[in-house]
Amino acid sequence: MSAIDQKTVTADEAGMRLDRWFKVHYPGLGFGRLQKLLRTGQVRVDGKRVESSTRIAKGQIVRIPPLGVELTADDTKNKRPKSTKLIADDRNAVEDMMLFEDDHVMVLNKPAGLAVQGGSGLKRHLDGMLDAFTDRKGNKPKLVHRLDRETSGIILVAKTRKAAQELTKAFRHRNTRKIYWAMLAGVPKPKQGRISTFLARSEEMERMRVARQGEDDAQHAVSLYSVVEQSAQKLSWVSMRPVTGRTHQLRAHAAHIGHPIIGDDKYFNIENWELPGGIQNRLHLLARRIVIPHPSGHGVIDVSAPLPPHMQQTWNLLGFDASDYDPDVNDPDE
């Protein structure tokens, strides 16, 4: 982009934080640079200065200065069309991830290592792969939420604009039950508890830090956890539920209580800790289950994802059996 541009906020984007909106539309734009553009008034909403935490509304106009970053898959004017083979490969890959599908929604099991959205240097990501499902009217399935690149498990995709609005509303109003499984270093005490902190982005690295209430960009984050099984005092299988939905929330919270997630290259903070033999040094975090009102207004979506291969290997090594665990009974609750 070589000149100032303007974009209109769509109905699907109403209520979204401005920094999240930029992450969706301009994944190559770093957080620090966005902050500078906001501070200097180069980015404006309806002609007014705003902050990264500003919630945008349908119909508002976002002023965008020259950024020099790649556009998302939605900005197709200057993109080369994908080859027929690549479209077929993407479609087959997404269909292989499918856990549930109807006329309104797809529930996918995202593998560890696959990015959800594009960014600097990323050629393949889930959002781009969904281009293969674009219909004749140009309507493309829409991601409703995100997972970190190295986190595996459940991702919701809306197939219609109405479904996207209803699912986004359910997330915003916390009418969603999300359960994660993690393998932690050590065993948390108490074995069932609630973690409540403020989290803010650390500008030196792409990670979050525990912050004080009132700090710039600090957001309240609450997570619930329950130890399911343990291997002596070395490792524990923990079920976690994010009550709020902050970036890296569970990873930052696990590290905050002194029991970081195994294989977490951003938050593992125990010096001289040795990984037991036979366990892969990969992030042991699975978006295991989601329960959310169906966007049609009838019933609920309730889907679980299996352990990814590297986590299944660890479970086998430790003698843990996922099939013995009843999430309805044992998952942490508010």
Side-chain angles (χ1 to χ4, degrees):
M1 190 188 304
S2 59
I4 292 173
D5 195 8
Q6 292 185 331
K7 283 185 178 289
T8 303
V9 177
T10 67
D12 289 352
E13 296 165 341
M16 186 182 288
R17 280 174 55 115
L18 185 62
D19 53 1
R20 167 78 178 122
W21 185 89
F22 267 92
K23 188 69 176 176
V24 170
H25 287 274
Y26 305 97
L29 181 66
F31 181 78
R33 179 140 181 253
L34 174 59
Q35 289 290 80
K36 184 176 180 180
L37 293 171
L38 289 165
R39 283 196 303 268
T40 56
Q42 296 181 68
V43 169
R44 295 179 180 239
V45 175
D46 283 350
K48 299 178 181 178
R49 287 178 179 257
V50 287
E51 299 179 348
S52 60
S53 58
T54 298
R55 298 279 179 180
I56 53 180
K58 176 186 175 183
Q60 287 186 316
I61 305 297
V62 182
R63 178 191 187 275
I64 304 153
L67 300 176
V69 297
E70 292 183 6
L71 303 178
T72 61
D74 291 335
D75 298 294
T76 55
K77 296 177 187 175
N78 301 317
K79 287 180 58 178
R80 290 184 180 179
K82 288 186 177 181
S83 69
T84 303
K85 181 181 184 304
L86 187 55
I87 290 173
D89 288 347
D90 284 350
R91 189 177 187 94
N92 290 337
V94 171
E95 288 177 346
D96 286 344
M97 300 178 207
M98 202 83 71
L99 295 172
F100 172 84
E101 182 183 20
D102 63 16
D103 292 339
H104 306 270
V105 67
M106 295 189 289
V107 183
L108 307 179
N109 179 22
K110 185 191 81 68
L114 175 65
V116 172
Q117 291 179 307
S120 179
L122 279 178
K123 292 185 177 180
R124 200 172 196 224
H125 49 84
L126 182 56
D127 189 41
M129 294 165 72
L130 291 174
D131 287 348
F133 292 81
T134 303
D135 63 23
R136 293 181 180 178
K137 295 181 180 179
N139 298 316
K140 168 188 164 182
K142 182 179 177 63
L143 292 163
V144 179
H145 63 121
R146 298 175 61 198
L147 287 180
D148 298 336
R149 182 174 181 175
E150 296 306 323
T151 301
S152 60
I154 288 178
I155 280 279
L156 275 177
V157 178
K159 297 176 74 173
T160 67
R161 184 178 296 273
K162 176 66 173 175
Q165 291 173 339
E166 293 301 316
L167 293 170
T168 299
K169 188 187 302 181
F171 274 97
R172 191 181 306 134
H173 295 162
R174 298 180 187 170
N175 295 329
T176 306
R177 184 180 177 89
K178 292 185 292 182
I179 302 299
Y180 289 71
W181 284 357
M183 184 65 69
L184 305 188
V187 183
K189 293 181 181 179
K191 289 188 175 181
Q192 189 166 10
R194 179 178 186 269
I195 308 167
S196 176
T197 70
F198 284 82
L199 295 177
R201 189 177 295 274
S202 172
E203 293 194 25
E204 307 87 52
M205 302 171 62
E206 290 188 3
R207 64 193 302 274
M208 304 300 287
R209 60 180 177 83
V210 173
R212 294 182 180 179
Q213 184 176 1
E215 282 189 43
D216 289 346
D217 201 39
Q219 294 181 300
H220 191 214
V222 178
S223 303
L224 308 173
Y225 72 87
S226 179
V227 176
V228 181
E229 295 279 359
Q230 66 185 80
S231 177
Q233 294 299 313
K234 184 74 173 178
L235 298 167
S236 56
W237 164 14
V238 176
S239 177
M240 305 185 78
R241 180 185 171 198
V243 178
T244 53
R246 312 306 181 202
T247 301
H248 294 180
Q249 178 176 316
L250 297 181
R251 298 166 65 180
H253 272 174
H256 175 66
I257 63 171
H259 300 283
I261 299 173
I262 300 300
D264 193 337
D265 62 353
K266 291 184 184 296
Y267 294 92
F268 200 96
N269 53 5
I270 304 176
E271 292 186 8
N272 303 318
W273 194 89
E274 293 186 6
L275 189 70
I279 295 178
Q280 297 183 46
N281 190 24
R282 300 181 63 188
L283 185 66
H284 281 55
L285 181 62
L286 167 71
R288 164 66 177 177
R289 182 183 181 199
I290 194 164
V291 182
I292 188 170
H294 196 282
S296 67
H298 303 289
V300 297
I301 297 168
D302 185 349
V303 182
S304 296
L307 290 168
H310 71 283
M311 290 180 66
Q312 185 63 65
Q313 179 180 331
T314 300
W315 261 240
N316 292 343
L317 182 70
L318 299 177
F320 296 161
D321 187 350
S323 64
D324 288 343
Y325 180 59
D326 183 351
D328 285 328
V329 174
N330 295 309
D331 273 336
D333 209 341
E334 291 188 65

